[in-house]
Amino acid sequence: VQLQASGGGVVHPGGSLRLSCAASGFSFRRNRMGWFRQALGKQREFVAAVSADDGTNYAVSVKGRFTVSRDSAKNTVNLQMNSLKPEDTAVYYCNLPLDYSGSYVRFPWGRGTLVTVSS
């Protein structure tokens, strides 16, 4: 299994970024996929998830600003992040959440991508 996130960078507060995660080695099409993040010195936390039928759910802290989507033809899951805040600064990862809240995941963590929101 490979999970490789990309698209991170440095952005000013209020800016936008679009992250992508390429997944392989499992049945992507049939599974719910999620985004998670880990800020320096903090525990990893759930951000958003998209189900096989494109249903979505979000952490309260990002709802209304972030949009998760998937492209099952390309085995990718995307995260459009708008109105970014300094507290969104973190390394972002994708994985397969085993429960609705994203407390448990299926696979070892893959490569993350760093998002830095700073003026």
Side-chain angles (χ1 to χ4, degrees), residues 32-81:
R32 185 164 169 259
M33 291 297 299
W35 282 96
F36 302 79
R37 67 186 181 186
Q38 186 168 22
L40 190 63
K42 295 187 177 180
Q43 288 191 333
R44 199 167 348 227
E45 63 177 2
F46 170 79
V47 174
V50 56
S51 65
D53 62 358
D54 293 326
T56 58
N57 67 298
Y58 298 88
V60 172
S61 59
V62 306
K63 197 167 187 180
R65 300 188 296 122
F66 291 10
T67 302
V68 61
S69 62
R70 64 191 296 152
D71 185 338
S72 292
K74 297 181 179 179
N75 282 13
T76 59
V77 57
N78 305 304
L79 186 69
Q80 177 66 42
M81 306 186 297

Side-chain angles (χ1 to χ4, degrees), residues 6 8 15 17-18 23 41 43 69-70 73 80 91 94 97 100 102 109 119:
S6 62
L17 278 175
R18 183 176 176 85
Q43 288 191 333
S69 62
R70 64 191 296 152
Q80 177 66 42
V91 178
C94 72
Y100 188 77
W109 295 103
S119 54

Side-chain angles (χ1 to χ4, degrees), residues 9-32:
V10 180
V11 63
H12 291 308
S16 298
L17 278 175
R18 183 176 176 85
L19 307 183
S20 290
C21 178
S24 62
F26 64 100
S27 182
F28 178 90
R29 188 180 301 270
R30 298 182 180 181
N31 286 289
R32 185 164 169 259

